[in-house]
Amino acid sequence: METKGSQPEAGEGRPRRRGPTLFTWLSLGASVVIGVAAGIGGFTFAYAKGGSYMTDNPAACANCHIMQDQYAGWSKSSHHAVAVCNDCHTPPSFVGKYISKARNGWHHSVAFTSGDFHEPIQITPHNRAITEQRCRSCHQPIVQAIDAHAASTKAEGDDGSISCIRCHNDVGHAP
């Protein structure tokens, strides 16, 4: 504090310049993180044709080279005229469908970016269960008849479960 008759010390009389606050640093850090995420996400979404995955167009699944064989097989299969990829590989509800697509999209993008995936691509147990359920839904009358027969002829130690995919593994992707 300046007293009468004393000389002001250097820096006194001018507003004191304050350094960046914690809030400033946090805001700057959050802006950088959001900017980098938006940039990488935008580039990836544009590069990987992300908007196409929001549709039911089977060609979207073939955006990735690893799915070319499955897409070509579906194009020649008996299911080509009656079902698209989402009919067999996602749950029927709107929310379930997009949760499944988001889940698979995340796993596929990580796997394909890192190069850590099995070739030819393999269905996960989770997606196999969805596909099995979708088979049973579309082919319900024949599945009920088969299940009833299997239950009546079940041997001891047999759990009686029948899997559509076990016997018809390539039906959606082959003639």
Side-chain angles (χ1 to χ4, degrees), residues 1-9 12:
M1 180 169 179
E2 187 177 335
T3 58
K4 193 173 185 178
S6 68
Q7 296 290 328
E9 292 185 25
E12 285 189 15

Side-chain angles (χ1 to χ4, degrees), residues 5 29 72 90 136 161 163:
T90 63
R136 290 177 167 274
S161 66
S163 167

